[in-house]
Amino acid sequence: MVSPQRLRDPAVRRRVRDAVAEELLGTPRSLGAVLGLTAFMLLVGIDYYVATLPTVPVALWPLYADSAVAVGLALLSLVTLLPTVGSGGDVADAPVNRPLAYLHTLAFVWLVQFGLWPLVSLNLAFEAYVTAPDAWIYYWGVLGTHLLFVGLALLFPAFGRTTRGALALALGLGVSNVVVDYGFGYHPPLLYEPGLDLAFATLAIAVVAVALADRSFRRLDAGDRDD
């Protein structure tokens, strides 16, 4: 058991993260279970957005269906572990290269951003959500499942890398999402009409998610594998 005081040490936190990632993703059975759960969350996310997608220009679908896209990126990232884990290798031994750095970074940032977003968006209309029919799904269920996004994202630095370009792209997409959602009005279905408070909060969450990615991932450089 690691004491809270020791967890203040970044090196200790990295070792704990790597150990948890190996436990959850390091065997074909455990990785398969996480892939199955992620695929289920993706189907739920698609079902949430599918009814309103026809009202949104097709080109904007990736920015509109943001949480579903976040889980889809996560699923792709986890699938890249299959050859390594299936052959008996450690999660930390997974290949790293520039395309994978972009994929893992974007998956991490979007999982964190849209995992935290409901904490703000739903609580801005707390009474409406907790008194609505099926509040146990549409409030407590949404908060719980989206916090799983964040927990899943925190495993990615155990096997992924990032680059300045990947971080810049993630930030650019985060800003674009705010523009699409609150500038063009293509925000996810809510029980109220969002205003500037939610727009600025979403932008702040995007910046925090990118900063966390910058802090959490090691950089892809000449010393890393590129296979």
Side-chain angles (χ1 to χ4, degrees):
M1 188 70 176
V2 180
S3 67
Q5 185 173 5
R6 291 192 65 196
L7 284 174
R8 296 176 184 176
D9 184 344
V12 173
R13 290 199 302 271
R14 285 194 296 270
R15 288 197 294 271
V16 170
R17 178 202 62 201
D18 293 349
V20 172
E22 190 64 38
E23 183 70 23
L24 294 178
L25 308 174
T27 67
R29 177 176 294 182
S30 61
L31 178 57
V34 175
L35 283 170
L37 176 61
T38 307
F40 174 74
M41 290 194 297
L42 176 60
L43 291 176
V44 172
I46 292 173
D47 181 67
Y48 178 74
Y49 288 101
V50 69
T52 55
L53 280 178
T55 66
V56 180
V58 174
L60 299 181
W61 282 7
L63 294 174
Y64 170 69
D66 36 39
S67 59
V69 171
V71 178
L73 290 170
L75 190 61
L76 289 175
S77 288
L78 293 171
V79 165
T80 68
L81 295 176
L82 284 172
T84 300
V85 173
S87 63
D90 293 337
V91 169
D93 294 330
V96 294
N97 54 45
R98 193 164 301 276
L100 287 176
Y102 274 75
L103 173 60
H104 298 325
T105 302
L106 291 178
F108 177 98
V109 170
W110 278 55
L111 283 171
V112 172
Q113 180 173 347
F114 300 109
L116 296 178
W117 182 79
L119 290 175
V120 177
S121 61
L122 300 190
N123 284 311
L124 284 174
F126 175 79
E127 186 174 352
Y129 276 97
V130 296
T131 59
D134 295 326
W136 67 277
I137 295 177
Y138 295 110
Y139 182 78
W140 300 110
V142 168
L143 290 184
T145 55
H146 280 68
L147 287 176
L148 285 178
F149 290 12
V150 181
L152 181 60
L154 294 179
L155 301 178
F156 284 28
F159 58 84
R161 301 290 188 274
T162 194
T163 68
R164 285 193 296 180
L167 293 167
L169 177 61
L171 181 59
L173 289 173
V175 173
S176 299
N177 171 265
V178 172
V179 172
V180 167
D181 282 8
Y182 310 106
F184 298 162
Y186 295 123
H187 54 78
L190 294 168
L191 294 182
Y192 64 98
E193 188 61 32
L196 288 178
D197 48 357
L198 184 55
F200 283 119
T202 304
L203 181 60
I205 293 171
V207 172
V208 168
V210 173
L212 184 60
D214 185 29
R215 182 181 179 87
S216 300
F217 282 97
R218 286 170 286 177
R219 292 298 180 97
L220 181 70
D221 56 34
D224 282 319
R225 302 177 310 282
D226 195 30
D227 49 7

